[in-house]
Amino acid sequence: MSDTIRPDGRTAPDLRTVTIERGWSEQAEGSALISFGRTRVLCTASFTNGVPRWMAGQGKGWVTAEYSMLPRSTNERMGRESVKGKIGGRTHEISRLIGRSLRAVVDMKALGENTLVIDCDVLQADGGTRTAAITGAYVALADAIEWGRAQGFIAKKATPLIDSVAAVSVGIVDGEPRLDLEYREDSRAETDMNVVVTGRGLFVEVQGTAEGAPFDRRELGELLDLAVAGAAELTELQTAAFAAELAK
Amino acid sequence: MSDTIRPDGRTAPDLRTVTIERGWSEQAEGSALISFGRTRVLCTASFTNGVPRWMAGQGKGWVTAEYSMLPRSTNERMGRESVKGKIGGRTHEISRLIGRSLRAVVDMKALGENTLVIDCDVLQADGGTRTAAITGAYVALADAIEWGRAQGFIAKKATPLIDSVAAVSVGIVDGEPRLDLEYREDSRAETDMNVVVTGRGLFVEVQGTAEGAPFDRRELGELLDLAVAGAAELTELQTAAFAAELAK
Amino acid sequence: MSDTIRPDGRTAPDLRTVTIERGWSEQAEGSALISFGRTRVLCTASFTNGVPRWMAGQGKGWVTAEYSMLPRSTNERMGRESVKGKIGGRTHEISRLIGRSLRAVVDMKALGENTLVIDCDVLQADGGTRTAAITGAYVALADAIEWGRAQGFIAKKATPLIDSVAAVSVGIVDGEPRLDLEYREDSRAETDMNVVVTGRGLFVEVQGTAEGAPFDRRELGELLDLAVAGAAELTELQTAAFAAELAK
Amino acid sequence: MSDTIRPDGRTAPDLRTVTIERGWSEQAEGSALISFGRTRVLCTASFTNGVPRWMAGQGKGWVTAEYSMLPRSTNERMGRESVKGKIGGRTHEISRLIGRSLRAVVDMKALGENTLVIDCDVLQADGGTRTAAITGAYVALADAIEWGRAQGFIAKKATPLIDSVAAVSVGIVDGEPRLDLEYREDSRAETDMNVVVTGRGLFVEVQGTAEGAPFDRRELGELLDLAVAGAAELTELQTAAFAAELAK
Amino acid sequence: MSDTIRPDGRTAPDLRTVTIERGWSEQAEGSALISFGRTRVLCTASFTNGVPRWMAGQGKGWVTAEYSMLPRSTNERMGRESVKGKIGGRTHEISRLIGRSLRAVVDMKALGENTLVIDCDVLQADGGTRTAAITGAYVALADAIEWGRAQGFIAKKATPLIDSVAAVSVGIVDGEPRLDLEYREDSRAETDMNVVVTGRGLFVEVQGTAEGAPFDRRELGELLDLAVAGAAELTELQTAAFAAELAK
Amino acid sequence: MSDTIRPDGRTAPDLRTVTIERGWSEQAEGSALISFGRTRVLCTASFTNGVPRWMAGQGKGWVTAEYSMLPRSTNERMGRESVKGKIGGRTHEISRLIGRSLRAVVDMKALGENTLVIDCDVLQADGGTRTAAITGAYVALADAIEWGRAQGFIAKKATPLIDSVAAVSVGIVDGEPRLDLEYREDSRAETDMNVVVTGRGLFVEVQGTAEGAPFDRRELGELLDLAVAGAAELTELQTAAFAAELAK
């Protein structure tokens, strides 16, 4: 890997500064305001005892997620999807990705007939909003599950969370694989990949896209190396956030 | 006025603690994260040189606003309006109110052919979201106008802002007129009124609604007295925010 | 108050000619075709025994309203909201206002588990459509409640209507406070206010908006004086309509 | 044909009482409030100089129609299509039928680059709303065309209307062909047919539907006989309406 | 009738080549890929035991249909209705026509509480898509009903199909009545008629429209003669399809 | 790799029977009806000279795709997205994937200011619809580009297609990596991956999802090996299809 200095002073395998304000919301059962550099996402987890009617009686829970961007989270204001009356493909795609990523580390039987809805609202966007959202959503989810346990909705000895989960983007910019792209890099990356990794280092999602030129097996390998290392750092930051006291 | 102590320790004519974080957003031309107690609204102002086609060539500008609540800003999660595919009546009503309130203090000729869109997104709701939104929106608007002037889109000597504007709720709870209701009070108020007042103390909007019993002329008078005093305090806080340095 | 003669020959404190054709519809349980000058609104009240599921079992009724304008009720044809696929903010706002105004004079316990939907369709618009709608809606509502009583859905001795309600607009035009603005006046009013008043003279809604210049306390007082007097006249006309025989 | 007396006292080949209040609207360029018995439809014609962009420059005009029912025009309240956010199939179908029927008697070249939108809003429904709408729409259309000529938008000597048009329903009830079905008959007709006929007696639309049992060629013939005679009566009533003075 | 040779070599009373691939779909309970010349429609019938809640307990079944065109079934690509977010009037109209046509030959009591949804998707369009759809839909319906009988959802001896049904278009082109118009003819027909006829030769629907000049009684008669003969041929082709073995 | 026999008799690294009917549509500029076993997708390419307004004047073309499933392509009928009035997240996601995959092999400069819309409509679904769609879409695209060249919209010597593209699914079922999953396998796969590969063997998209247990680096490697081999077979089949004569 080269010694290029990136636009914000980082080297290729560096994450941006990541902060996690756990318990930011006084209303939600779990929440986190997470920043990956200038990207800021408010993640809230809403716990409901019970499941949608079509799932009732199976002794299993449900976890789902919704992602959205504030209209002026970006450099140019985007129209609101509520005003347009429909949700765009990108929003749908990311909401689904977050939901799948979280469900991969939840034991639905252990969760019991409880529903968790995780909302990830991007307050400010500078690349990597989906990976920040997944990383923060896990923190909100874990706290909401503990809330549910404290309320008696989840059995004392149940272990609904079988692993933790975090996500990071990697990409090839100017021919060089880099970790955690900010917007300026992302917009000119040849290849862009979002990788969702559990605390134990297993893959939940690998989504690589050739934006410019198609990529080969070796490049894919280098990107995955970077991603796995970056995700391990994020896992440590999540652990540190749980160790700290709740903001609220 | 009685000496009742309110749920959070205030007396009837007290505002909640109000904070204004000016320049919270690094993307918008103007912004403020405003809190009225636990109510927190992120206001961003987006400046565009030019006006919608139907207004072009008249030498006048345009100011509009959109209000929205995050799904878990409230105690119970609400469905997203983007998912439902339509905007509710309350959202429409408040967006229109914010827009009218801001336009009342803007000289559209002095603004020139420029457009300002103010987004007010409620991050946490505990009563008074529309009044916090108006009060914060004015701060974001003023900064965006100065940005536009610095860019040369507004004439050096033009005065697009002819006054400032702030808003506060008042209501009759347990027979007593009170200022700046939090949610617990608001939900059982007999009468609820939102008052929008300029820095010079003139009314822009007076919206009083009998939620329980209809009200008489004397009660209306007492509510207006409270509101005018509360709005004057908010005007001072706006002034203080402009005196402080920008967060960004 | 000055002696200005208004565009249609009235003086400042005059209502337009108001007519109420009670029982205009042969289908609805209650109805009124009301005219405020050239403004004509068809109000129908639909009575249903029972309440929406989320209200069932509480022994209380429900009253709601929907307002709409025919596309060519106005001087220029407007597109239909059904064709656009969404309801505009103004329509939402007025529907909610009418509903709140009616509910303020209904004792939901006395109404019992019955639902009333009031439709106010503007056939011709010349200013003051929302105030005509509220005034006519009350007439339709009262007749539908009597229909429900005759059918045995409401107890013989119950008094669901605890007061009557009427509404009128007032505004400042050319510096002069005037009652019941027609469109030509409304479109150039500096301040515009809609006031909903019960038969006993109490306020249900006061919605004042500075369209041009903000207004002061004295102007607000004068407008309220005009409105209270105008609403009292409308109350008398409602009473006269009930005294007359039903059209149908 | 038998001598059955129908629910409202008519014999099989009788129209209901038809009235046409020409010029009911003070806003539209042409209008008619038409009644076929208890069915009442307000038809307004909106004249615009110019045509939609995709038609410009061809020297031809355009005529279109929109049909809608007020929610409580019927015996049971129907939800508003604007609230549902979509237009039902029946509404679409009838709007298209009205438009085609009117266009069949308009010479688009003679109309010149002018657009007419005809709105047919059913205020009260008792069967035959689409046929009443077509019959009334023609009256509104003709007056709006004369308005356009008076304004100089249509050449003095042009003849945009090459014929008149009216419509009537026929159906087989209890084995008997009958003219102009009211709702009680329509809802139990075995076969239902709407026939649109020009003033000269030619067919514009023949829409026959077996609601119960399929029909044979002889029945089809009898229904057409009835319809042609009924339409001729309607043509006379239209002529009489034009002979009378305008309401406005 | 003249001896004109039509664009594709047919004479006036000729059908195009019609093929019916019964059982084209391996997923549906009944299906047919039908071609009228280059017009190709895939008809599938979905059988569900049970009826919508509002019909339950009456011992009757339900049959409904949905029609749609693939975006590039036509010569110029049309936008998808799912992308537009609303269904056009023509689609609604044809879906309703297909449903009514099928229901006319079904004895809902004999069908029992079962629901059949017939989807008609136009893969390639060259005029006559609605008549091909009805003709193919009947084949799919009949097979799905037999499937339901084999599953025991329909009584062994019940006769839900009381007749068969087919449809064909006729029109006046260059003054000459012709059968089964292809697109080139349809687009310049003076009069266009769709006729739905049962296997016994009775009419279910007669929908004649003057596209150019209105038509008289004699022309109507000639068109019906052509249609009845054409429908009889289609009935024979349906019978032949049932006699052949299922494709699947 | 084990010697397991799969539900349809294949071994782990086998594709299903793949057929490509090039030129199936007589309307589109390019088309292919592709089958992967029982999965059948109709792909049409629509060529338009010119680009959307926001792209004009840059000398570049545009390629986009829309994916949809017929309601009864699946074992249970799904509601139509046009009837629901909105497009689901999965549909959006796949449409975007197809578009990106095609654009990865197109040189937009060489294409010139021309637009290609590729519609992929699933007529029958049995797993792998998105990969069949991409593989068939490339064939339709290539033919439409040749059509555009023949019409003179693309320069004689331009090479808009810089590579070919095909896609295949792989997954881990019962612990074994398998190629081209049919629905029965797909629905119980632990890991599911869609891989888009160019004719030269480079990756355009790698989308791996842990449906059951997360996967490790070795499993990822084995899946990619299978996918690359499968895609190479598909590339040969595409080449063979181009060598054959067009169906039309």
Side-chain angles (χ1 to χ4, degrees), chain A residues 3 28 47 67 71 73-74 81 108-109 111 132 155 166 187 191 194 221 239:
Chain A
D3 294 352
F47 188 105
Y67 166 96
S73 56
T74 44
E81 294 183 327
M108 294 299 171
K109 281 281 181 195
L111 180 56
S187 59
T191 288
N194 292 291
T239 305

Side-chain angles (χ1 to χ4, degrees), chain A residues 6 10 12-16 18 36 97 101 127-136 165-171 178-182 192-198 203 205-208 223-235 237-238:
Chain A
R6 297 162 66 180
R10 287 185 285 158
D14 291 345
L15 287 177
R16 288 176 283 180
V18 173
F36 276 28
L97 170 65
S101 298
T129 62
R130 80 188 72 187
T131 52
I134 291 168
T135 307
V165 68
V168 71
S169 76
V170 282
R178 295 184 185 172
L179 182 69
D180 186 24
L181 307 187
E182 61 167 62
D192 181 26
M193 188 175 296
N194 292 291
V195 186
V196 184
V197 187
T198 70
F203 296 111
E205 289 268 342
V206 172
Q207 295 203 340
L223 290 170
L224 289 170
D225 291 340
L226 272 182
V228 167
E233 283 187 66
L234 291 169
T235 299
L237 290 162
Q238 289 172 327

Side-chain angles (χ1 to χ4, degrees), chain C residues 144-177:
Chain C
I145 284 175
E146 284 319 301
W147 181 93
R149 193 194 302 280
Q151 300 294 314
F153 297 134
I154 296 177
K156 276 272 176 316
K157 301 197 171 168
T159 310
L161 288 174
I162 53 185
D163 203 340
S164 69
V165 68
V168 72
S169 77
V170 282
I172 301 179
V173 184
D174 299 337
E176 179 194 59

Side-chain angles (χ1 to χ4, degrees), chain A residues 136-150:
Chain A
Y138 173 73
V139 174
L141 171 69
D143 276 344
I145 284 176
E146 285 319 300
W147 180 93
R149 192 194 302 279

